[in-house]
Amino acid sequence: MSKIDFSMENINHCLCSKCAVQIESQCVKDKQKIMLLITQQDLDSPMRMDAERVPGVYCTTGKAICKDIDTKKVCKCNECYIWKEYGLKDSSPGRYFCKDGEAI
């Protein structure tokens, strides 16, 4: 398994924003508003995407900063294009990256 890039392409492929684990999180909703603002900015804008602003791609960024996610809900990682593309079923952890950290 190769290191997963923190990129717009992977952010766009990520299913975390549709995952029951974080769908009710106010922290995640606030971060999604920030992401929307960033995507509407000019390329020269000082706002940028970084792990602290993106509520997802935990397989590469590690544990979620938002503490109000509900990891008792069903995880969607195994349905994700990134999970399939990078063979994350063989990684550690294999799912719940938002709780357990990045894939290695």
Side-chain angles (χ1 to χ4, degrees):
M1 183 191 84
S2 59
K3 175 77 173 148
I4 302 158
D5 292 330
F6 182 75
S7 65
M8 281 306 296
E9 181 179 1
N10 284 338
I11 290 169
N12 290 331
H13 286 300
C14 183
L15 292 183
C16 289
S17 64
K18 299 168 189 76
C19 184
V21 172
Q22 67 176 27
I23 201 108
E24 295 178 15
S25 163
Q26 186 59 50
C27 175
V28 167
K29 289 175 185 173
D30 292 343
K31 289 181 179 297
Q32 287 172 332
K33 288 177 191 173
I34 292 170
M35 282 179 57
L36 182 61
L37 286 172
I38 291 170
T39 58
Q40 294 172 346
Q41 299 294 315
D42 293 333
L43 293 176
D44 296 330
S45 170
M47 295 181 82
R48 59 180 167 65
M49 294 286 189
D50 60 35
E52 292 182 6
R53 291 187 169 147
V54 176
V57 202
Y58 303 115
C59 54
T60 192
T61 61
K63 295 179 183 179
I65 293 170
C66 292
K67 301 302 180 202
D68 62 344
I69 61 172
D70 185 357
T71 56
K72 292 180 178 95
K73 302 274 182 162
V74 177
C75 172
K76 288 180 92 74
C77 289
N78 63 322
E79 298 174 25
C80 184
Y81 171 83
I82 298 168
W83 191 84
K84 294 170 186 169
E85 178 74 15
Y86 286 88
L88 296 183
K89 68 181 169 89
D90 299 323
S91 72
S92 177
R95 292 175 58 176
Y96 286 93
F97 306 107
C98 57
K99 176 185 76 170
D100 298 329
E102 70 182 277
I104 52 171

